[in-house]
Amino acid sequence: MNSAASDTNPISLAHVLRPRSIAVVGASADPRSFGGFVQGNLERFGWDGQLHLISRSSAELNGRPCLRNVDELPEGVDLAVLAIPEAGVLDAVKSLAARRCHAAVLFASGYAEAGPEGQVRQQQLAQVARDAGLVLVGPNCMGFTNLADGVPLTFEPLAARAREERPGVGIVAQSGFMAANLRDALLARGVPVTCVFSTGNEIAVCVEDALAHYLEDPQTRVVTVYAEQLRRPRQFLQLARRARELGKPVVLLMPGRSARAREAAQSHTGALAGDHATACALLRREAVVVVDSLDELLDTSAVLLRHPAPPAGGTAFMTGSGAMKNIALDFAEDLGLPLPALTAPIVERLEAMLPSYARAENPLDYTTLGVRQPGLIGELLLTLQDDPRIGSLVLAIPVGPSVAQRDKADHIVPAIGRATKPAVLVLTGDDSPIEPFFTEAIRASGVPLFRSADRALRALRHVAAHGEALQRAARAAVDAPPARPLPGAVPPNGIFAEYQGKRWLAQAGIAVPAGRLAASADEAVRVAREIGWPVVLKAQASELPHKSDVGGVLVGLKDEAALREGWRRLHDDVARHRPGLQLDGALVEAMGPRGLELVVGAKRDADWGPVVLVGLGGIWIEALKDVRLLPADLAEADIVIELQRLKAAAVLRGIRGEAGVDLQAIARVVAAIGAQMRANPQLQEIDINPLVAYPAGSALPVLALDALVVATPH
């Protein structure tokens, strides 16, 4: 395992991003070589530090003397750029270490991304650097460009740029291609970028180190991340928490939802993908904005740069087209983005401005009002902003002819620029031309511009989720209750038998059916007489977590004769399927009343920590997979909100005359399971399937019919 795999303190990037002295190893007279590109970038950007060129073929380049090898460098150079093939890298790094160089950027590929032999080469390189205290960036990376300080250390030829002085976006990506793509896309939109950092295989410097730097950089307001794997997950979560405290949004695209994407990540970066769903749930807990596409990564970063702390609430959509209004309604519903009804005071104010034939509602179609009174559109938008139900706004209008663009530049753009909630401008017409004065007005205002209403609504869905996440984080449980003792000595396989797991659930305040373990048919009959007929009979052993598969569960046993026959049949079936298995006995339980079957579970990810799961249970979890994966510290009120986001939420609320189930009681179970997972690191997995839920007001609102508890053996 390389040094990047453990959760350590972030590596300081001061010598890397703001070097006073740079050595280019592999300097060349060929302007199209990697070394030539680095030299050209430094010259075009006017970097004025101490530059050392190392070349075996040239005594001087562009009037600068060259050294023949690394051994001729002065001691203590801040940063070396290795623009040489992989075959010479290890020796060069050893020499740099001997000259007490602080850091090095490695462009070369052929390491962990190339398979087992490459992994060995990467481990050797990492060991040399660690022993010398040399910070390595890469390998297999494109380097970085610090636009705020004018330090372009990448093999990609860059046009000269003035140093960025505005607050902007800091970019970090494991992929050099993606780092450059994000940079170019944001700059083309007029979005300021402070620094672009490519980490490659992350032999030492990881995404987490760049994130830590950006959080303490006063000029970076938003951090945009592309990562195929977060190698220090707990550190990333800590940094995300710090980002939330500082009010700096972190926007993340992390492919890996599909099996093929996870395989591609291994071959591309040498990364082993973790549990993507677990990671996303816990990242969102810390208000990281986890997006699903590259467009969303760019668009959401641009909006959050202007509004880093958005309020929670739905979106108001404004347009002068009934057709666009209808499209927005459908698309927002598909996204799960609320377009809330307006409050009465806002409706009254809008009606005073709108013509009689226009309806004061959300989405708002103001008809042709803007043709004669363009300034009124801005007043409508600022009025909508005052509605407490509204968290963000979209204005979708055509580009129009030059005279109309002048009206929009002079009246509409300034109004959007005064919005205190996230507000974006959509200019429809795809690639229809925008006059230079209009473009300049938009960029000067800082208003996020879109050419697609779909992309605008997708971005605002993430902006709204970020506002909600900021509020949710403040409500999350801070401390877990004391850990309840486990049901007994942990079996060698870590799995407690059902009767043990249910005993533990009951102690945690979760209702289970009446009953107990029986060691004989006679004892089973006595238990059944105490709890009442009919009963359920279940074989019990740590090695038998899936009892039904071997005939180990019998239901609806109505009397003593049925129970005795069931006892014989159950033991015969288990013995036939699992010869030699020693049962602890059989669990005799009262039949629970019918209700809505749910699943509530929890698991501990070795890298990310615990999460809980809730959704439809029984056979439906396999058929529909309608579940929500949640942080283990979510407040009960927020768990209720998540229950209402299930696809089957209507079933929970009650349909076709059926009463809804007690959502608060379900939330209490989820919260209790999450609390115990947080309090007891030995717990690895809990599964209650089904948890039967009943209508609110029932004497017994929930009942755990089956339970699996797994812990780490000592």
Side-chain angles (χ1 to χ4, degrees):
M1 181 178 291
N2 64 41
S3 63
S6 60
D7 284 358
T8 60
N9 292 326
I11 296 171
S12 171
L13 298 182
H15 287 294
V16 177
L17 290 172
R18 299 187 181 96
R20 295 163 298 179
S21 54
I22 296 173
V24 179
V25 183
S28 172
D30 180 0
R32 299 189 66 82
S33 67
F34 280 10
F37 285 141
V38 171
Q39 295 159 232
N41 286 336
L42 290 169
E43 290 170 2
R44 284 189 293 276
F45 275 66
W47 184 77
D48 57 2
Q50 189 176 24
L51 181 62
H52 306 280
L53 303 180
I54 299 173
S55 173
R56 292 183 177 180
S57 58
S58 301
E60 61 91 21
L61 291 170
N62 296 332
R64 291 180 181 271
C66 295
L67 305 176
R68 288 195 56 79
N69 54 57
V70 174
D71 296 332
E72 296 180 12
L73 279 174
E75 286 196 351
V77 170
D78 282 340
L79 181 66
V81 180
L82 297 179
I84 58 177
E86 180 275 325
V89 167
L90 183 59
D91 287 341
V93 169
K94 289 178 179 178
S95 296
L96 288 170
R99 303 309 295 159
R100 301 184 185 278
C101 181
H102 290 289
V105 176
L106 283 65
F107 296 147
S109 56
Y111 292 94
E113 82 285 352
E117 292 182 1
Q119 290 176 356
V120 171
R121 289 192 291 270
Q122 182 161 311
Q123 289 168 356
Q124 292 173 337
L125 197 59
Q127 189 63 54
V128 170
R130 275 198 301 270
D131 291 345
L134 175 68
V135 175
L136 292 182
V137 179
N140 188 30
C141 76
M142 285 180 64
F144 67 88
T145 302
N146 179 353
L147 293 167
D149 295 286
V151 187
L153 289 180
T154 175
F155 60 77
E156 182 187 16
L158 300 176
R161 291 186 63 90
R163 295 188 180 187
E164 184 56 69
E165 297 181 355
R166 298 171 294 170
V169 176
I171 297 169
V172 56
Q174 288 165 337
S175 159
F177 171 87
M178 199 58 67
N181 180 47
L182 292 167
R183 175 201 66 210
D184 292 346
L186 289 171
L187 291 176
R189 294 170 65 162
V191 176
V193 173
T194 59
C195 186
V196 188
F197 202 102
S198 162
T199 59
N201 286 19
E202 301 189 338
I203 199 169
V205 175
C206 295
V207 163
E208 291 80 3
D209 302 305
L211 174 57
H213 173 83
Y214 288 144
L215 294 185
E216 304 308 320
D217 175 24
Q219 203 168 335
T220 300
R221 183 176 289 173
V222 173
V223 184
T224 298
V225 182
Y226 175 86
E228 290 158 359
Q229 183 197 24
L230 296 174
R231 299 177 191 269
R232 304 179 198 155
R234 301 196 183 217
Q235 185 182 91
F236 194 97
L237 290 174
Q238 292 171 355
L239 291 168
R241 193 170 303 126
R242 172 70 175 156
R244 178 163 49 81
E245 293 167 353
L246 292 170
K248 291 190 176 187
V250 178
V251 189
L252 168 69
L253 175 59
M254 185 172 61
R257 286 173 292 170
S258 68
R260 290 190 66 183
R262 290 191 292 271
E263 291 168 5
Q266 291 182 38
S267 62
H268 184 52
T269 65
L272 293 174
D275 188 319
H276 190 271
T278 295
C280 290
L282 295 177
L283 288 163
R284 290 184 173 115
R285 154 69 179 85
E286 298 300 342
V288 174
V289 186
V290 183
V291 299
D292 299 321
S293 71
L294 185 56
D295 287 347
E296 293 176 2
L297 183 64
L298 293 164
D299 298 341
T300 308
S301 297
V303 177
L304 288 175
L305 178 61
R306 184 168 176 83
H307 296 280
T315 296
F317 191 94
M318 281 183 59
T319 181
S321 162
M324 182 61 74
K325 168 183 173 179
N326 293 333
I327 290 172
L329 281 167
D330 285 346
F331 194 68
E333 182 173 317
D334 291 342
L335 288 176
L337 175 64
L339 300 177
L342 303 174
T343 58
I346 297 301
V347 170
E348 184 177 347
R349 287 170 57 186
L350 291 173
E351 287 176 340
M353 291 184 275
L354 292 167
S356 59
Y357 50 83
R359 297 184 60 178
E361 61 183 3
N362 184 27
L364 176 63
D365 173 13
Y366 53 77
T367 67
T368 58
L369 186 67
V371 176
R372 295 181 60 85
Q373 297 175 279
L376 197 53
I377 296 177
E379 293 183 39
L380 291 170
L381 183 138
L382 294 174
T383 300
L384 282 171
Q385 175 188 253
D386 291 341
D387 196 311
R389 295 176 181 171
I390 299 303
S392 60
L393 305 100
V394 180
L395 174 60
I397 54 178
V399 175
S402 181
V403 64
Q405 292 189 43
R406 174 59 68 185
D407 286 341
K408 291 161 187 169
D410 292 346
H411 300 288
I412 295 175
V413 170
I416 303 175
R418 293 197 301 274
T420 56
K421 294 179 180 178
V424 305
L425 175 63
V426 176
L427 294 179
T428 60
D430 204 5
D431 289 333
S432 55
I434 304 174
E435 296 282 1
F437 66 81
F438 194 9
T439 299
E440 180 56 34
I442 294 168
R443 291 195 172 183
S445 71
V447 170
L449 172 65
F450 292 83
R451 298 306 304 266
S452 159
D454 293 3
R455 286 183 63 167
L457 289 172
R458 287 186 186 278
L460 290 184
R461 176 190 61 164
H462 290 296
V463 171
H466 184 56
E468 181 181 332
L470 293 174
Q471 293 189 2
R472 176 179 285 188
R475 297 192 295 266
V478 177
D479 297 315
R484 294 189 173 278
L486 293 175
V490 182
N493 64 358
I495 302 173
F496 289 99
E498 179 188 353
Y499 74 96
Q500 296 174 302
K502 281 185 171 174
R503 183 172 62 209
W504 183 80
L505 291 179
Q507 292 170 351
I510 299 170
V512 299
R516 67 175 186 270
L517 187 70
S520 66
D522 289 341
E523 186 178 0
V525 170
R526 287 195 295 272
V527 174
R529 287 172 177 167
E530 292 172 9
I531 62 178
W533 306 94
V535 296
V536 179
L537 191 65
K538 300 182 181 182
Q540 298 294 297
S542 170
E543 296 84 358
L544 198 61
H546 303 294
K547 302 172 286 293
S548 299
D549 297 344
V550 298
V553 178
L554 300 174
V555 301
L557 303 176
K558 298 181 179 179
D559 53 31
E560 180 177 341
L563 178 54
R564 290 186 181 278
E565 169 59 21
W567 184 274
R568 182 196 62 77
R569 180 156 44 100
L570 179 143
H571 283 76
D572 288 348
D573 286 346
V574 171
R576 184 172 65 257
H577 286 93
R578 296 288 302 275
L581 176 63
Q582 183 67 42
L583 296 180
D584 295 352
L587 180 60
V588 184
E589 287 185 332
M591 290 278 291
R594 294 179 64 85
L596 180 64
E597 291 190 357
L598 303 173
V599 59
V600 173
K603 71 169 185 174
R604 186 179 307 280
D605 184 272
D607 293 323
W608 291 95
V611 289
V612 294
L613 175 146
V614 61
L616 285 188
I619 63 171
W620 300 114
I621 188 173
E622 297 293 338
L624 301 181
K625 295 180 173 59
D626 184 18
V627 298
R628 303 292 293 180
L629 196 64
L630 311 173
D633 62 352
L634 205 58
E636 287 184 19
D638 290 313
I639 296 171
V640 170
I641 292 173
E642 292 294 335
L643 289 169
Q644 294 170 335
R645 288 174 174 164
L646 288 165
K647 297 173 186 175
V651 177
L652 272 65
R653 292 191 294 267
I655 58 175
R656 295 190 176 183
E658 294 286 337
V661 296
D662 192 331
L663 298 183
Q664 197 66 49
I666 300 169
R668 282 195 293 271
V669 173
V670 176
I673 293 299
Q676 286 306 305
M677 290 294 290
R678 289 186 291 122
N680 192 337
Q682 199 174 353
L683 282 170
Q684 294 301 310
E685 185 178 349
I686 301 169
D687 187 66
I688 305 174
N689 185 21
L691 177 78
V692 181
Y694 304 102
S698 301
L700 192 66
V702 290
L703 188 65
L705 295 191
D706 198 0
L708 178 72
V709 177
V710 182
T712 303
H714 285 295

